[in-house]
Amino acid sequence: MKNILVTGGAGFIGSNYINYILNERDDYNIINIDKLTYAGNLENLKISELKSNYHFIKGDIGNAELLRYIFEKFKIKYVINFAAESHVDRSILGSEIFFKTNVMGTNVLLETARFFEVEKFLQISTDEVYGSLGEKGKFSETTPISPNSPYSSSKASSDLMALSFFHTYEMPIVITRCSNNYGQFQFPEKLIPLMIINALNNQKLPVYGDGLNVRDWIYVVDHNRAINLVFEEGKIGEVYNIGASNEMKNIEIVNLILSQLKRDESLIQYIKDRPGHDRRYAIDSTKIQTELNWTPAFTFEEAIVKTIDWYLENKQWWQRIISGEYKKYYSEQYNLI
Ligand code: NAD
Ligand code: DAU
């Protein structure tokens, strides 16, 4: 058995990873540590909880004592670090927790993993560390790091720290940098679930600036397939970009959701732009495609319909969320409700 510490496994991508991997692998023992912030939700993991090779511990990756206890008790030899504060808009409202978790938390996790001599430490990162593109070009693994938001600068800091542990201590670090994900269990502060839910509730769809910013969308299942390939076969000390070559303008996404849900375009409301808003992201994933033989399995057309259907079929999941702390954030953020 591989004893794997998965951090942030109650969030969007981490919970999708655990649900997916426990179906695929009986030889993984997954120990999930999650602080259960506003973004963590154990309801995402109902299927996993039935498995004997899955364990959950509520805790902070910045808690050294707790980490030492977990590494010892479960004889942890592998780490996949999903845990992070992940929303750009929240990082603009207040950056402190982003640096506490994404930088200092990752530092505590790295130091503990170093002490216990793990065999692989996979840092889950983002294309946002590369900054913003003009109309042409794509981010490759050698594109200089140039983050623009408090969120992306905290992620860039943790990437650089992890790489320094590889160079200095020969720690077995690997990093993945992925583009924008969508799919089931995504918290409705992010573009796609927010627009689906507002459209279903006949509320305004807040589009920042001119709506022409471009993101490169990937279905969360394809991201997780890539993560596991890198976890199993990725070369130590390397960075792997992950993306499905699916660039779209925000307004195209919004219109598609409206038409799929048969709602009128009059629901769109252009609002003040996000400060420092990155214009365009696009990922060159040649390296993972050629070295590890990964390709996305889903087209955007099929996976966006699956995603919209999931939100239609799981109203209870998001209704509980939007009636909680989210409501306060949402009204402050958009000043719309
Ligand atoms: P999310 O916000 O949905 O989930 C984050 C999870 O981490 C939550 O369950 C939260 O409770 C947990 N967490 C936060 N602080 C913690 C702490 N101090 N200790 C333990 N757990 C803590 O985020 P996500 O969208 O699932 O993103 C997961 C990772 O993937 C992040 O590192 C993010 O930077 C990266 N990423 C996200 C995307 C995307 O499009 N969502 C794309 C590329 C990379
Ligand atoms: O690129 C990977 C990153 O993608 C991840 O590292 C982040 O964790 C993830 O949150 C995401 O960041 P973005 O800022 O690109 O995602 P978000 O869903 O917040 O916004 C996508 C685009 O939509 C962006 O151009 C801003 C715009 N937007 C977003 C919201 C929430 C709107 O126009 N209106 C909105 O209400």
Side-chain angles (χ1 to χ4, degrees), residues 12 87 180-201 203-206 217 253-254 257 261 304 307-308 310-312 314 317-319 321-322 326 330 334:
F12 163 49
H87 192 38
N180 286 63
N181 284 223
Y182 63 97
Q184 60 180 10
F185 299 124
Q186 187 166 31
F187 195 85
E189 63 191 352
K190 308 282 163 61
L191 180 74
I192 289 183
L194 179 82
M195 297 299 163
I196 296 172
I197 289 168
N198 280 18
L200 286 173
N201 286 335
Q203 282 183 340
K204 292 288 184 191
L205 274 55
W217 294 95
I253 297 270
V254 171
I257 291 169
L261 293 173
I304 191 70
T307 302
I308 293 173
W310 187 84
Y311 282 90
L312 277 167
N314 290 277
W317 181 87
W318 53 262
Q319 271 166 348
I321 290 173
I322 64 172
Y326 170 84
Y330 188 80
Y334 299 106

Side-chain angles (χ1 to χ4, degrees), residues 86 126-128 151 180 191 206 208 215 250 274 277 334:
S86 69
T126 167
D127 62 355
E128 295 199 12
Y151 162 70
N180 286 63
L191 180 74
Y208 300 164
R215 297 293 183 264
N250 293 339
R274 172 186 279 175
H277 197 173
Y334 299 106

Side-chain angles (χ1 to χ4, degrees), residues 78-138:
Y78 303 89
V79 177
I80 306 181
N81 185 25
F82 290 94
E85 289 294 332
S86 69
H87 192 38
V88 174
D89 292 325
R90 286 188 191 248
S91 81
I92 294 167
L93 292 174
S95 65
E96 191 181 345
I97 188 68
F98 283 75
F99 289 90
K100 203 167 169 210
T101 287
N102 302 359
V103 184
M104 290 316 297
T106 301
N107 177 256
V108 174
L109 187 62
L110 277 167
E111 285 292 7
T112 313
R114 181 163 82 90
F115 181 83
F116 285 93
E117 298 181 337
V118 295
E119 289 171 26
K120 204 160 207 177
F121 186 113
L122 175 51
Q123 172 68 7
I124 306 300
S125 188
T126 167
D127 62 355
E128 295 199 12
V129 300
Y130 297 120
S132 184
L133 292 164
E135 279 181 19
K136 292 216 166 73
K138 290 188 175 203

